[in-house]
Structures are given as structure tokens and as C-alpha cells.
Amino acid sequence: MSEASVIDHGYEPSMKDYFDLLKPRVMSLVVFTALVGLLVAPVGVNPFVGFVSVLFIALGAGASGALNMWWDADIDAVMSRTVKRPIPSGRVAPGEALGIGIALSGLSVIMLALAANLLAAALLAFTIFFYAVVYSMWLKRSTPQNIVIGGAAGAFPPMIGWVVATGSVSVEAWLMFMLIFLWTPPHFWALALFMKEDYHKAGVPMLTVTAGHDATRRHIFVYSVLLAIFAVAMGFSSIGGPVFLATAVILNARFMLGCYRIWQRRTPEAQADDYAVERGVFRQSLWYTLLHFTALLADAALKGAGLWSGWV
Amino acid sequence: MIKVEHEIHQRRKGRNMGVGLLLLGMVAIVFGLTVVKVKNLGAIEKFDHVYRPAIDPTIPVTPPVDSE
């Protein structure tokens, strides 16, 4: 959709159209994980500085979303999941999306540097670069491991939240990073299983397209095992605690069981019930990160109240 | 002479209001950050046109003389 054709049909973009460019649902997860990263840190932050920092971390994530939509407008127009996005639906011109993406990227990085510290701002700049350039422009269309490596972009926000508070990257920040990093592949591959036609039509080399469903099912299960081992071990770390450990044991057992059932199924069986198990695991994975990070917060609150003082 | 409002102002009213609110929000954020950062600096005492030996770090502090 060219800029001229947007003007031709006389549609006037609203604030909501521009807001949709920022991928609000992704932003809400970024807000939450960055906030948890900030709150579980052992160093207190002025509430206003914390609020502004999380706001601009989210804005930076939104900016990278706008850049992603600008770059991927051609494939978004082909996939049913993304065809209603602002650019393919003709509500926002590509040039506007690019301008908004660049402007908000710069603004968010500068404001985070002013509000928090230079390291947090540098990490945010790297996250935007990683998502917009490394993932969107390079990996997404060139390798079936696209979301494995690209998942790092979504894993940075809690680390940035931690750095806002402490000023440095430590083991705990990497633990939160790894939890999201290992969660991303089974989450997206479960989606790709029941959206296979979309990626196929768009020519995106998702694992489902290049290696087939059976290989993807095996990959999902293997990642769920790695994720479970990591998550339960994280329960014994300095940011873990009884709530996180209990949450990790229950959620990972359920998640692994779901992924095991995905692995055991074959495509005809899945088609017969319209990918019910795959859809179920995908929905479960949405709750997975939310509940794990809530558990981190709960353990931090227990520590703050003096009810928990760590494993040793 | 009173000019008739151009139709584009009406059409873009929601957007313009939105941009206005965002700019106001930005002003509030910068102002708030300034207040927080300045408060965190602690007490500031500097020379104001007149040299004050009492706050010159190069001059050693002399202990108070015992009046007894």
C-alpha cells in the first residue's frame, strides 16, 4: 500500500491506528516483565523514575514493533493473522510507520538514559536493533531458527528493568532473560503448527515449513524439557523462592505434558480436531510467562515483608 | 472577517487532541524527572557573586577557638 493510495481512499488515520503500530499486546508483556525486573532488584528506585523507565522501555518495544510492521508489510498482507494490521489494511502509510518507529526509538532510548542510566538505554537500543534489524530484516526470512535467536529481543525487557535499578547486568538478570528466551520457541512453534498455511503462503521459513510438522513437534517437546529444567532450577536462585518454585513445578509439569501430547500427535489427528491440543498449549504458554513473573514478584514481596530470607 | 473553519481541522480533531495530550504528558514527565533528579542531588551551596571562604574547599577548616 503506497502513501498515495492511503491518501486516495480518503482515510484519515486515528490515534488508535498509530497505537496499533506499536503492538499493544506485546507492549503489555514488556511492561509487566520490565516492571518485575525492576521490582525484584535488591536496589530501590524512586517510584517516578521507575514509572518513567518502564514507560520508555515499553515505548522502545513499541517502536521496534512499528519498524517490524514497516519492514514486514508485504508478508503481513498475505497472512490471515496479520492482514488487519495498520499497514496492510491501508490505515497507515508505510512511510509514516517508518518515521514513527525511528522517532520513538530515538526518544525512548534518550529518555531512558536521562531517567535511569546509560547501560539501560544502551540495552534498550540494542533490543530495538536486534528485533528490527537482526530478527525482522535478516533472520526471519532466512532461517528456520528465526524465532530461536529472535526470541532474545523479547527476553531483554526484564534485564533492562533490573539494570534500571542496579546499574549493572548480573546473574539474576540473565536468569530472567533465559526464562523468556527458552519459552519463545515452543510458544511460537505451537502457533506455527496451526498457522502453517500462513507462513507457507508468506514464504517465511518457519520450522513447520522447512522441516515439517513432525520435526517441529519434536522440537517443541525438547524445548519444553529444557525450559522446565531451567525454570525449576531458577526457583533455587536468589530471585527465586517458595512461590516461584511451586509455580514452576506445577506450570512446567502441565506445559511439558501438553508439549508431550503435541509430540505424540500426527498432522491428520491434529487436523481432525482443528489443532485443539496445539491451541491449548499456545494458550497455556501465554499464561506461562505471566504467572512465572508474578511468582518472582510474590517472592520479592515475601522477602520485603521479612517472611522469606532465601534458601541459605 | 470570520473565516470558516477548514474541514481538515474537524477531520483531524481527534488526532490533534491526541498529539496535544501526548506533548503535555511529555512535559509533565520531563518536569517530574527534573524535580526527582534535583532533589536527589542533596543540598547545594555555591558562590553567588560574592566569594565565601567558608565554603571554599581549598581553605582548611580551622577548629573553633576555645573561649575559656
Side-chain angles (χ1 to χ4, degrees):
Chain A
M1 177 75 50
S2 71
E3 199 144 350
S5 60
V6 170
I7 295 160
D8 281 350
H9 66 224
Y11 181 80
E12 199 67 57
S14 64
M15 285 304 282
K16 189 187 172 300
D17 294 329
Y18 293 121
F19 186 63
D20 285 347
L21 274 179
L22 309 183
K23 299 193 176 181
R25 273 189 296 182
V26 176
M27 270 210 299
S28 62
L29 187 65
V30 169
V31 166
F32 183 64
T33 55
L35 185 67
V36 172
L38 194 147
L39 291 176
V40 300
V43 186
V45 179
N46 178 289
F48 188 73
V49 171
F51 162 74
V52 173
S53 299
V54 171
L55 180 75
F56 285 103
I57 294 170
L59 194 69
S64 66
L67 292 172
N68 166 274
M69 282 200 200
W70 163 72
W71 182 259
D72 279 345
D74 57 335
I75 54 176
D76 282 353
V78 181
M79 300 201 288
S80 58
R81 189 173 67 89
T82 52
V83 73
K84 287 182 181 163
R85 282 181 175 173
I87 301 175
S89 63
R91 287 180 286 143
V92 175
E96 275 191 302
L98 175 64
I100 287 171
I102 292 173
L104 293 186
S105 296
L107 179 75
S108 57
V109 170
I110 291 169
M111 287 304 293
L112 189 62
L114 292 174
N117 54 62
L118 279 175
L119 182 59
L123 278 172
L124 181 65
F126 180 72
T127 306
I128 297 169
F129 168 78
F130 198 87
Y131 186 66
V133 178
V134 178
Y135 170 70
S136 302
M137 296 182 188
W138 177 35
L139 296 172
K140 188 173 178 179
R141 300 182 197 217
S142 63
T143 166
Q145 295 297 315
N146 46 17
I147 47 115
V148 177
I149 309 163
F156 274 113
M159 180 185 269
I160 302 174
W162 177 278
V163 173
V164 164
T166 63
S168 63
V169 178
S170 60
V171 178
E172 293 87 344
W174 281 111
L175 291 176
M176 289 185 284
F177 173 93
M178 282 303 290
L179 188 70
I180 299 182
F181 184 71
L182 288 173
W183 161 87
T184 310
H187 165 76
F188 269 108
W189 284 331
L191 173 77
L193 279 175
F194 57 87
M195 287 284 180
K196 186 194 171 190
E197 288 312 309
D198 261 12
Y199 291 111
H200 188 71
K201 270 194 294 182
V204 176
M206 284 297 273
L207 200 62
T208 44
V209 178
T210 59
H213 273 204
D214 292 350
T216 307
R217 289 170 188 281
R218 197 172 57 246
H219 274 72
I220 288 175
F221 179 65
V222 170
Y223 266 93
S224 75
V225 174
L226 291 175
L227 178 63
I229 295 168
F230 180 82
V232 172
M234 189 173 158
F236 294 101
S237 71
S238 60
I239 49 169
V243 180
F244 185 88
L245 188 62
T247 307
V249 168
I250 295 166
L251 290 185
N252 283 281
R254 278 196 63 197
F255 192 61
M256 226 164 45
L257 183 68
C259 293
Y260 177 77
R261 288 176 64 201
I262 287 182
W263 178 38
Q264 291 301 303
R265 273 153 70 90
R266 290 294 168 265
T267 305
E269 203 182 330
Q271 281 171 335
D273 62 8
D274 194 22
Y275 293 91
V277 176
E278 290 78 2
R279 287 176 199 275
V281 168
F282 177 72
R283 272 196 302 274
Q284 223 185 89
S285 73
L286 293 172
W287 286 99
Y288 184 98
T289 39
L290 188 71
L291 292 176
H292 272 86
F293 276 84
T294 306
L296 283 179
L297 210 53
D299 280 327
L302 286 181
K303 266 186 201 164
L307 297 169
W308 168 253
S309 53
W311 295 106
V312 281
Chain B
M1 187 183 150
I2 299 167
K3 277 174 75 177
V4 179
E5 189 184 25
H6 195 281
E7 138 319 298
I8 200 166
H9 294 138
Q10 201 54 41
R11 191 150 42 95
R12 290 187 174 172
K13 194 173 181 180
R15 220 163 97 180
N16 292 340
M17 294 287 278
V19 172
L21 287 173
L22 285 177
L23 288 174
L24 279 176
M26 201 55 208
V27 170
I29 284 170
V30 173
F31 179 69
L33 273 181
T34 310
V35 171
V36 171
K37 297 274 171 181
V38 169
K39 273 189 174 174
N40 284 348
L41 289 176
I44 301 170
E45 205 177 9
K46 292 283 177 189
F47 305 110
D48 184 16
H49 301 291
V50 182
Y51 174 68
R52 293 168 60 197
I55 59 167
D56 189 340
T58 60
I59 296 176
V61 180
T62 47
V65 181
D66 202 339
S67 55
E68 250 182 82

